[in-house]
């Protein structure tokens, strides 16, 4: 049996490892071969979960993240290695893989097995450090508050007791920061602000305990249902999870800053917390985040929840992907890089494979019988790979419009290997399903900085919330993403002086390997409209379509966003003249995310909701 996995992102890597480790090889009865096909080169394994380097002459190497910059649900990653890894000690693997956690459908483990699972991941070079505090939040008027402190400012499980790792941070200094930030700042925003905040996190914890297994992991676990209902229905159902997020928060907090602190995670999933007038239920799940998305706050910030915490992989997210590929390689998974799947049939997949040396080395040799249908061209080779099962890890809105087509010469339905359509099945295109609601796009600045920016934490969120009007207006970029005139508005209006929210990552704060000594690697993510689909581009070769979409975000738009970011950063002491210290810049827009990862509408988060 052969299984083909399309895409070497973390989802593709994880499913390939689990299939290969769970079934015997093809040499035995009922065995399985697993082949992963990836359009990018070996250096981009992991898809959106990856890093890239910038080398500045005379200074050194700066590592930047093109995708995620914070890691959640650490035990999910560790559980993969505990269940499938072959490098860890036999006793460690046996004990950890025999106790599957009730909170982890993908193989996470019970608290008692944390150390064994961590050892299994470290055997593949994956080490994850907790970021404490999780965030520094900076308001446009200069107010600063730090969030995300484990209880008593120590790691859960005793901070080094019982053989578990000690905290990666100064416990006493962190306790002082917690008292100053959580106590003084929150109580300054509104009376009893800290107490109200902790109460809200308890509600979010109930959302998380019920939502993680039943909705995110897709299994039935009703043990947390009573507490979930109790929190959701208390005080006359003020905390009902399907109300617009802002409606629940405004009933709990008086200060717009407290509302902003409790909802900025909605930014990461491309939704806004504020109700959309004229839409059923205030637009919940169609542009507006429901209150249940507070589980994201619990996942990152809850002081005692076993699933909570923000982590940083040492060596960057490239190390996450590399470790997962090493796991797959140990298990015998085959990789073919530089291989773009153009069509899925009942019998397997059609692909175009690059003819450069790296791709050729990664592919099978020319004697492979599966290449019988290959047709050579000057730059790429057409081929067909038979498969008993195809798992598509590509972006769903893109894949359904390009490689998962349901037509063909045999009267509809899935194509077969005999349906060539005069070569059209080997055409690489870029398109997406526009009948879906998309979250926001992102303009990303990757700055290599010649000095250390001590004013920034590892993860920083810059918010506008002096008034309720400013707070609501700061989400306009995401609102324009769902507006037919969104991109036109973005082109003709300046961001200078207008409220907006954004995120800043400083990798070197927790991982010194990210930049040369005395320097910093900075990533700034600014929400923006998505790509606007142009139907005429769907029939063009992929490279022509991508270049046309990239032009939707021209230099004028990028320059305007950059200037607005510099203005907002200047509220922190030491960042007033930041642009003078930037020695290299790489910019990504929805067009470049579409190019790298084939994501629909250029949305890097890849999150959509059905129109129905």
């Amino acid at each position: 049996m052969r299984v083909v996995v399309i895409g070497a992102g973390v989802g593709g890597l994880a499913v390939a490892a689990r299939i290969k480790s769970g079934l015997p090889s093809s040499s035995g009865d009922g065995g399985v071969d697993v082949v992963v096909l990836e359009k990018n080169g070996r250096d981009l394994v992991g898809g959106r979960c990856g890093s890239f380097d910038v080398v500045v002459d005379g200074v050194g190497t700066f590592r930047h993240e093109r995708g995620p910059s914070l890691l959640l649900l650490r035990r999910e990653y560790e559980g993969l290695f505990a269940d499938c890894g072959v490098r860890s000690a036999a006793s460690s693997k046996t004990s950890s893989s025999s106790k599957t956690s009730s909170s982890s459908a993908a193989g996470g483990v019970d608290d008692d097995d944390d150390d064994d699972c961590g050892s299994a991941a470290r055997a593949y070079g994956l080490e994850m450090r907790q970021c404490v505090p999780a965030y520094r939040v900076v308001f446009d008027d200069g107010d600063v508050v730090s969030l995300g402190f484990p209880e008593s400012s120590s790691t859960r499980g005793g901070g080094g007791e019982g053989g578990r790792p000690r905290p990666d941070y100064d416990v006493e200094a962190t306790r002082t920061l917690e008292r100053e930030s959580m106590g003084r700042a929150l109580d300054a925003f509104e009376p009893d602000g800290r107490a109200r905040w902790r109460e809200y996190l308890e509600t979010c914890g109930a959302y998380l305990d019920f939502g993680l297994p039943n909705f995110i992991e897709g299994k039935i676990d009703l043990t947390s249902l009573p507490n979930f209902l109790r929190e959701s229905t208390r005080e006359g159902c003020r905390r009902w999870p399907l109300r617009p997020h802002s409606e629940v928060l405004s009933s709990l907090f008086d200060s717009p800053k407290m509302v902003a602190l409790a909802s900025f995670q909605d930014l990461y999933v491309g939704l806004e917390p504020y109700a959309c007038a004229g839409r059923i239920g205030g637009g919940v799940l169609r542009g507006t985040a429901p209150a249940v998305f507070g589980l994201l706050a619990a996942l990152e910030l809850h002081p005692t929840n076993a699933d909570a915490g923000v982590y940083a992989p040492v060596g960057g997210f490239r190390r996450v992907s590399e470790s997962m590929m090493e796991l797959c390689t140990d298990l015998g998974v085959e990789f073919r890089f530089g291989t773009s799947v153009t069509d899925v049939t009942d019998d397997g997949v059609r692909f175009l494979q690059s003819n450069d040396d790296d791709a050729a080395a990664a592919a099978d040799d020319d004697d492979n019988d599966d290449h019988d249908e290959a047709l050579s061209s000057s730059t790429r080779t057409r081929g067909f790979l038979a498969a008993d099962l195809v798992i598509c890890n590509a972006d769903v809105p893109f894949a359904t419009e390009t490689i998962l087509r349901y037509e063909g010469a045999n009267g509809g339905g899935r194509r077969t290997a005999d349906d060539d359509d005069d070569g059209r099945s080997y055409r690489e295109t870029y398109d997406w399903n526009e009948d879906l609601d998309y979250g926001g796009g992102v303009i990303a600045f990757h700055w290599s900085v010649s000095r250390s920016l001590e004013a920034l934490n590892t993860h920083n969120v810059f918010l506008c919330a002096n008034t309720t009007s400013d707070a609501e207006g700061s989400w306009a970029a995401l609102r324009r993403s769902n507006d037919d005139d969104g991109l036109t508005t973005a082109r003709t209006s300046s961001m200078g002086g207008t409220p907006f929210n954004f995120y800043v990552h400083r990798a070197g704060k927790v991982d010194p390997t990210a930049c040369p000594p005395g320097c910093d690697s900075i990533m700034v993510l600014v929400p923006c409209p998505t790509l606007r689909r142009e139907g005429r581009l769907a029939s063009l070769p992929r490279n022509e379509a991508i270049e046309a979409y990239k032009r939707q975000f021209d230099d004028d738009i990028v320059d305007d966003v950059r200037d607005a970011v510099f203005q907002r950063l200047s509220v922190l002491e030491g960042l007033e003249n930041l642009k003078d210290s930037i020695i290299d810049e790489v910019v990504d827009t929805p067009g470049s995310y579409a190019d790298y990862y084939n994501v629909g509408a250029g949305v890097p988060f890849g999150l959509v909701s059905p129109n129905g």
Side-chain angles (χ1 to χ4, degrees), residues 244-268:
H245 203 175
S246 63
E247 289 185 2
V248 170
L249 295 178
S250 62
S251 71
L252 301 176
F253 300 110
D254 299 323
S255 166
K257 288 185 177 179
M258 294 294 290
V259 173
L261 289 176
S263 59
F264 69 78
Q265 283 90 357
D266 296 345
L267 194 70
Y268 301 159

Side-chain angles (χ1 to χ4, degrees), residues 354-406:
S354 299
N355 290 328
D356 56 58
D357 293 340
D358 291 339
D364 277 351
D365 59 40
D366 293 336
D367 294 331
N368 192 321
D369 292 337
D370 298 308
H371 290 273
D372 288 345
E373 297 186 33
L375 301 173
S376 296
S377 65
S378 58
T379 58
R380 311 182 88 183
T381 299
R382 295 178 181 180
F384 177 80
L385 181 62
D388 299 282
L389 173 66
V390 177
I391 299 174
C392 183
N393 190 51
D395 183 67
V396 171
F398 160 80
T400 55
E401 299 304 302
T402 54
I403 62 177
L404 301 177
R405 293 167 291 186
Y406 285 84

Side-chain angles (χ1 to χ4, degrees), residues 294-465:
L295 65 84
L296 296 174
L299 189 57
E300 294 185 338
L301 307 175
H302 199 286
T304 60
N305 193 288
D307 290 307
V310 172
Y311 294 84
V314 177
F317 278 81
R318 172 170 56 206
R319 187 60 242 163
V320 177
S321 303
E322 291 284 351
S323 64
M324 293 176 72
M325 182 174 174
E326 290 174 19
L327 171 64
C328 288
T329 301
D330 279 358
L331 294 170
V333 174
E334 177 190 347
F335 288 87
R336 300 186 186 181
F337 292 101
T339 304
S340 298
V341 173
T342 58
D343 192 33
V344 177
T345 76
D346 279 336
D347 313 300
V349 299
R350 293 187 177 93
F351 61 83
L352 291 171
Q353 188 173 74
S354 299
N355 290 328
D356 56 58
D357 293 340
D358 291 339
D364 277 351
D365 59 40
D366 293 336
D367 294 331
N368 192 321
D369 292 337
D370 298 308
H371 290 273
D372 288 345
E373 297 186 33
L375 301 173
S376 296
S377 65
S378 58
T379 58
R380 311 182 88 183
T381 299
R382 295 178 181 180
F384 177 80
L385 181 62
D388 299 282
L389 173 66
V390 177
I391 299 174
C392 183
N393 190 51
D395 183 67
V396 171
F398 160 80
T400 55
E401 299 304 302
T402 54
I403 62 177
L404 301 177
R405 293 167 291 186
Y406 285 84
E407 68 267 12
N410 49 347
R414 178 68 65 194
R415 286 185 173 91
T416 69
D418 297 326
D419 298 325
D420 191 349
D421 282 352
D422 298 324
R424 284 179 291 169
S425 297
Y426 288 101
R427 292 190 63 199
E428 192 176 14
T429 59
Y430 174 72
D431 195 16
W432 68 87
N433 184 349
E434 62 180 343
D435 294 328
L436 296 166
D437 288 329
Y438 290 79
V442 168
I443 293 176
F445 299 97
H446 307 279
W447 293 331
S448 300
V449 183
S450 61
R451 58 187 174 91
S452 182
L453 305 181
E454 297 299 330
L456 296 173
N457 202 345
T458 303
H459 306 292
N460 310 267
V461 180
F462 287 72
L463 302 176
C464 287

Side-chain angles (χ1 to χ4, degrees), residues 13-264:
L13 295 172
V15 74
R18 289 199 176 277
I19 291 175
K20 191 64 177 175
S21 68
L23 295 171
S25 66
S26 58
S27 59
D29 294 336
V32 58
D33 287 334
V34 180
V35 183
V36 178
L37 305 181
E38 167 58 44
K39 82 175 185 70
N40 291 314
R42 169 69 177 78
D43 59 321
L44 291 180
V45 67
R48 279 168 275 180
C49 183
S51 317
F52 68 95
D53 291 332
V54 170
V55 179
V56 179
D57 290 342
V59 181
T61 301
F62 296 79
R63 187 184 70 240
H64 296 278
E65 307 298 343
R66 182 156 267 133
S69 56
L70 53 84
L71 187 146
L72 307 176
L73 293 173
R74 169 184 57 88
R75 295 191 300 173
E76 295 287 343
Y77 294 85
E78 293 179 340
L80 174 69
F81 294 94
D83 289 348
C84 305
V86 296
R87 295 186 186 178
S88 56
S91 59
S92 174
K93 184 177 188 301
T94 300
S95 64
S96 59
S97 60
S98 64
K99 300 179 182 179
T100 303
S101 168
S102 63
S103 66
S104 174
V109 294
D110 293 329
D111 287 339
D112 290 342
D113 292 322
D114 277 353
D115 190 53
D116 285 344
C117 287
S119 297
R122 288 191 294 273
Y124 283 87
L126 180 56
E127 178 184 354
M128 294 164 280
R129 295 176 179 170
Q130 187 170 8
C131 302
V132 178
Y135 286 98
R136 175 169 292 173
V137 180
V138 183
F139 291 97
D140 56 345
D141 62 0
D143 280 348
V144 178
V145 59
S146 294
L147 301 175
F149 297 88
E151 188 173 64
S152 299
S153 296
S154 63
T155 55
R156 288 175 295 278
E161 299 174 4
R164 292 187 175 88
R166 293 186 178 278
D168 295 313
Y169 51 87
D170 185 321
V171 172
E172 290 304 321
T174 303
R175 284 174 177 163
T176 300
L177 178 60
E178 180 181 15
R179 286 192 297 269
E180 293 178 351
S181 185
M182 298 294 290
R184 297 178 186 176
L186 297 187
D187 286 342
F189 291 159
E190 66 177 67
D192 297 323
R194 184 180 187 182
R196 293 187 181 190
W197 174 258
R198 293 180 70 89
E199 183 181 1
Y200 174 65
L201 281 186
E202 289 307 306
T203 298
C204 292
Y207 293 163
L208 176 63
D209 290 340
F210 183 71
L212 181 60
N214 291 284
F215 297 104
I216 297 177
E217 295 175 342
K219 63 182 181 181
I220 303 300
D221 181 357
L222 301 182
T223 57
S224 59
L225 180 60
N227 188 47
F228 172 76
L229 292 176
R230 183 165 50 250
E231 285 292 331
S232 300
T233 57
R234 59 186 291 198
E235 300 171 338
C237 293
R238 281 204 302 170
R239 304 163 196 246
W240 186 247
L242 297 183
R243 294 175 63 194
H245 203 175
S246 63
E247 289 185 2
V248 170
L249 295 178
S250 62
S251 71
L252 301 176
F253 300 110
D254 299 323
S255 166
K257 288 185 177 179
M258 294 294 290
V259 173
L261 289 176
S263 59
F264 69 78

